[in-house]
Amino acid sequence: MTTPAAPVERRVPDAVHRRRWAILGTLMLSLLIVVLDNSILNVAIKTISTPAPIGLGATQSELEWAINAYTLVFAGLLFTAGLLGDRLGRKKALLAGLVVFGAGSALAAESGSPDQLIAFRALMALGAAFVMPATLAVLMNVFERDEQPKAIGIWAGGVGLAIAIGPITGGVLLDHFWWGSVFLINVPIVILALALMIWLVPDSRDPNPGRLDPIGVVLSVVGLVLLVYGIIKGGQLADFTDTKVIGTILAGLAVLALFVVFEKRSDHPSIDVGYFKNKAFSSAITAISLVFFALMGVTFFSVFYTQSVRGYSPLQAGLLLLPLAAAQLIFAPRARLLVDRFGNKATTTAGMLIIAAMLAAFAALTADTPIWILEVLFFLMGTGMAHIMTPTSVVIMQALPREKAGSASALSNTFRQVGGALGIAVLGSVLSTSYRDGIEDKLTFLPAGVRHTAGESIEATLGVASKLGPKGRALVSPANDAFLHAMHVTALWGAGVAVVGAVVVALFLPGKAAARTGTEEPELVAADQ
């Protein structure tokens, strides 16, 4: 007789273990609305920039703030929200976050001005900050360690699903309803997610939660807002030597430096800088930040390329993003197989290089490039992203003990959002500055005030041109040419950032042996204790 194998000891209760995949589906639904919001907005920004009654007449800088008000509040509060979830219970954090997000969505849909939209987007971010870290923290507590990479891969694939659903949903809504419908659609999804959450998801908390750090939160948010405001203002003015621009950027950097000093000396920091002594952890965080820096900037300008230059409708522009989402859906859950074979370093470095190459390829696009070439670029970008997000998320989440899952998730998402916000600010400003330089000499016949407004973006130029009759039609071709040049310059900047990310992960992310043995974990655990 053979001796039966000893049963595997589980740290997850049997009742929870049996419904773990249903719980994952519920968590992905919650994640869906958080990611869906930004991907829908990307398709809607051209419509929102159109003067009333169709849109709000938002300028390019107001559009950047509509996106960054969300990402900055989201990033600034993620860590505190993660700690509150660890302290009060992750399920409670999820439920409260969903309610606030749903209320903010309903209010954003009724915005009467760009300023109101920016404010309500910030309210939505407050709710989202409680949702995002709690989803990964719950995931880490309902799956055993051997299943966590697979679960995280599926979770990351949910991001791809949201990227697919968002633009298409936004396009359909904008074809049939007013622009506010892209926010109102969140409300029924929130109601469904709340019902499933109450029914399925177990509560969990950190038995030894950290203390809250209100001073650190304020310093981080103020520093990031000042920095991003200065960068966006520089792009709006097309002058980064302006005293106000330089002063604001330097003030932001000074506040962020003060934040780092304060966190190092605090006995209950929002961000434990000791975690970053580990090279693998730091390089994984850096990779996530840089890929979102590049990707968010490209998504921003690609909407104007497809709709303003190529003339596609919002729905058609949304459908054009399908290959990007499909690639993530296909490859994100399978990326762990490449990690098992080649290791984190090789897989992630290859992903970063693919992103860099595709961004550089944007510099070759023209107004009549066959559209299938753009589709191939989007598909390969999605492939590269899938092979970055899954391995780096696993490195980050498994670096800390499971009771600190909220902190690890918050760190990952904080730097992802900061990277995305800076990407929109920096690359958006590069786009704006390059566009103004290219179109300015074609606007000399306009009055000074109108000339400045018309030079801010291609949509602003086309808006002015539409009011000038035959004389205005002569501006359309120069506007397209100026935008294409600006897009090429911006894409090359994004490619350069992705190359920096590839170098960082190639130097510091663990290779195959290190990934298997998990030698990076003890140092981080020790830093946390």
Side-chain angles (χ1 to χ4, degrees), residues 174-193:
L174 290 171
D175 273 3
H176 295 89
F177 305 101
W178 94 115
W179 65 266
S181 60
V182 301
F183 297 108
L184 201 60
I185 190 65
N186 291 332
V187 176
I189 303 175
V190 165
I191 293 171
L192 176 60

Side-chain angles (χ1 to χ4, degrees), residues 81-311:
L83 284 175
L84 282 170
D86 288 345
R87 178 186 293 269
L88 302 176
R90 282 83 181 237
K91 182 174 182 176
K92 296 183 184 69
L94 276 168
L95 293 173
L98 286 170
V99 169
V100 173
F101 185 90
S105 298
L107 290 168
E110 299 299 328
S111 298
S113 69
D115 289 343
Q116 287 184 11
L117 177 61
I118 291 167
F120 293 137
R121 288 271 297 160
L123 179 63
M124 293 169 66
L126 173 63
F130 283 85
V131 173
M132 179 69 91
T135 59
L136 260 182
V138 170
L139 182 154
M140 298 299 286
N141 279 275
V142 301
F143 284 90
E144 297 293 346
R145 190 174 180 84
D146 61 336
E147 283 189 323
Q148 286 172 4
K150 181 180 180 181
I152 291 174
I154 295 172
W155 180 91
V159 176
L161 180 64
I163 291 174
I165 293 174
I168 296 169
T169 305
V172 170
L173 290 170
L174 290 171
D175 273 3
H176 295 89
F177 305 101
W178 94 115
W179 65 266
S181 60
V182 301
F183 297 108
L184 201 60
I185 190 65
N186 291 332
V187 176
I189 303 175
V190 165
I191 293 171
L192 176 60
L194 283 170
L196 291 172
M197 194 79 59
I198 293 169
W199 177 35
L200 287 171
V201 175
D203 207 356
S204 63
R205 67 184 71 198
D206 185 347
N208 299 298
R211 291 164 58 194
L212 301 182
D213 177 27
I215 296 176
V217 171
V218 171
L219 287 174
S220 65
V221 173
V222 170
L224 284 170
V225 168
L226 286 172
L227 177 62
V228 170
Y229 177 83
I231 294 170
I232 291 176
K233 192 67 176 177
Q236 183 183 3
L237 298 175
D239 182 9
F240 283 88
T241 63
D242 183 86
T243 306
K244 182 186 289 187
V245 172
I246 294 174
T248 308
I249 291 174
L250 290 177
L253 292 173
V255 174
L256 290 175
L258 180 61
F259 166 72
V260 172
V261 171
F262 180 82
E263 296 299 283
K264 288 180 71 174
R265 295 181 178 179
S266 174
D267 59 358
H268 57 285
S270 285
I271 296 178
D272 189 338
V273 293
Y275 297 159
F276 294 91
K277 293 177 182 178
N278 182 283
K279 293 178 180 179
F281 183 85
S282 297
S283 59
I285 287 284
T286 300
I288 283 179
S289 302
L290 292 181
V291 75
F292 269 81
F293 179 101
L295 205 65
M296 290 295 285
V298 169
T299 305
F300 186 78
F301 71 63
S302 67
V303 170
F304 289 100
Y305 172 69
T306 54
Q307 293 187 45
S308 297
V309 176
R310 302 299 297 261

Side-chain angles (χ1 to χ4, degrees), residues 391-459:
T392 53
S393 295
V394 172
V395 168
I396 292 165
M397 294 305 295
Q398 292 192 343
L400 299 182
R402 64 195 290 136
E403 61 270 15
K404 299 294 183 184
S407 299
S409 172
L411 270 172
S412 172
N413 286 293
T414 295
F415 280 86
R416 180 185 306 179
Q417 295 302 320
V418 169
L422 289 175
I424 291 169
V426 173
L427 297 183
S429 294
V430 171
L431 182 73
S432 182
T433 302
S434 300
Y435 179 77
R436 187 181 291 279
D437 289 345
I439 196 67
E440 213 158 27
D441 62 341
K442 307 294 191 301
L443 304 174
T444 51
F445 66 93
L446 297 173
V450 177
R451 185 164 63 243
H452 182 83
T453 301
E456 190 170 275
S457 68
I458 184 174
E459 216 37 54

Side-chain angles (χ1 to χ4, degrees), residues 24-40:
L24 178 60
T26 304
L27 296 176
M28 288 177 64
L29 183 62
S30 304
L31 174 72
L32 179 71
I33 60 168
V34 174
V35 181
L36 184 77
D37 180 69
N38 268 336
S39 59
I40 280 184

